[in-house]
Amino acid sequence: MFYNFEKLNKGKIYTYQMKKVGLSIVAAAAIIFASCGGNSTNTSVSEKQEVAGHQGDRYAVDLAASSVTWKATHKGGFAPRWGNISLSSGEFSVEDGNILAGEFVIDMASIAVDTASVTEADKKASDLENHLKTPDFFNIEKYPTADFKITSVTDLDPTASAEGAVEGSNKTVSGNLTLLDSTLNVSFPAKIAIEGDKVTVNGKFIVDRTAWGIKFGATAADPAEWGISKDIEIGVNVSGSKK
């Protein structure tokens, strides 16, 4: 049997070129979807800052009525996953109708995956929950809690971008967020209401988890790699009552 090596080589080159085109399309799609995936432009992250001191009236967080939600996707915005995490403690300081300080402890062992977000027949929400608790992600055995400590609360600049913010946002909340052994300051718009003996804070922000050292599945060595997005959307829904 004889082979036409010229045709074979051309076929190999064509196949290789098609593979390159295919990878380029995947990479381009990932970039396009990532840029359209709802990343908030109103969140800023900086070095940790001095925590605000408590003064005025103290408000205890209602743990049963408060929650932290999370949402993450695979690269390109595909296969979103979401769920919630419980608070284990928290309080605000309020004076003259304004929140001046606050600190909240997050129970990382309570991280839960909403079963509605896992639609693949071969996937289980419980498997993801267990994986999130390992050293690949939040390493809850070593770091059972995370915390957020307010550094400032100011009036929201009406000229600033509020894209992705909770509707009715009226304040900018800044605070030190500690995950694992890293602490960075996060600023985001929030809707704050203080009525009588009640205070509520609702907001959301998006952060790059790798800034806190959570790097599993986030390598950029291969632009066509199908991994996990670095962005995590965090939702804050906290209410408290005057002590």
Side-chain angles (χ1 to χ4, degrees), residues 47-216:
E47 295 298 315
K48 66 179 180 180
Q49 301 175 16
E50 183 177 355
V51 174
H54 285 283
Q55 53 184 308
D57 297 322
R58 298 288 187 98
Y59 286 66
V61 168
D62 183 344
L63 300 179
S66 302
S67 67
V68 174
T69 61
W70 62 270
K71 182 178 181 181
T73 70
H74 290 75
K75 287 182 180 178
F78 294 106
R81 303 285 191 256
W82 62 85
N84 57 74
I85 317 173
S86 299
L87 295 176
S88 57
S89 65
E91 68 174 352
F92 296 102
S93 286
V94 175
E95 188 173 62
D96 297 328
N98 295 299
I99 293 177
L100 300 183
E103 52 200 26
F104 318 96
V105 178
I106 304 164
D107 177 11
M108 295 307 298
S110 72
I111 190 167
V113 178
D114 192 323
T115 56
S117 72
V118 183
T119 58
E120 299 88 344
D122 60 337
K123 304 291 184 182
K124 295 181 179 179
S126 58
D127 290 339
L128 177 55
E129 284 180 12
N130 292 334
H131 194 190
L132 291 175
K133 296 175 182 181
T134 71
D136 283 343
F137 290 98
F138 298 107
N139 196 3
I140 66 165
E141 184 173 346
K142 186 174 182 180
Y143 305 102
T145 63
D147 61 61
F148 183 83
K149 298 180 179 180
I150 291 175
T151 55
S152 68
V153 178
T154 59
D155 291 335
L156 181 64
D157 182 353
T159 65
S161 171
E163 181 184 350
V166 168
E167 185 176 356
S169 292
N170 56 355
K171 299 288 183 178
T172 296
V173 176
S174 298
N176 292 336
L177 175 63
T178 298
L179 293 170
L180 305 184
D181 57 356
S182 298
T183 302
L184 293 170
N185 192 266
V186 179
S187 296
F188 58 95
K191 179 181 180 180
I192 294 180
I194 301 173
E195 300 175 349
D197 292 341
K198 301 289 185 181
V199 57
T200 58
V201 178
N202 296 291
K204 64 179 179 179
F205 56 91
I206 294 177
V207 292
D208 178 347
R209 61 186 169 88
T210 64
W212 282 263
I214 305 168
K215 298 181 179 180
F216 181 83

Side-chain angles (χ1 to χ4, degrees), residues 33-51:
F33 276 101
S35 64
C36 300
N39 286 357
S40 174
T41 59
N42 57 52
T43 305
S44 63
V45 178
S46 60
E47 295 298 315
K48 66 179 180 180
Q49 301 175 16
E50 183 177 355
V51 174

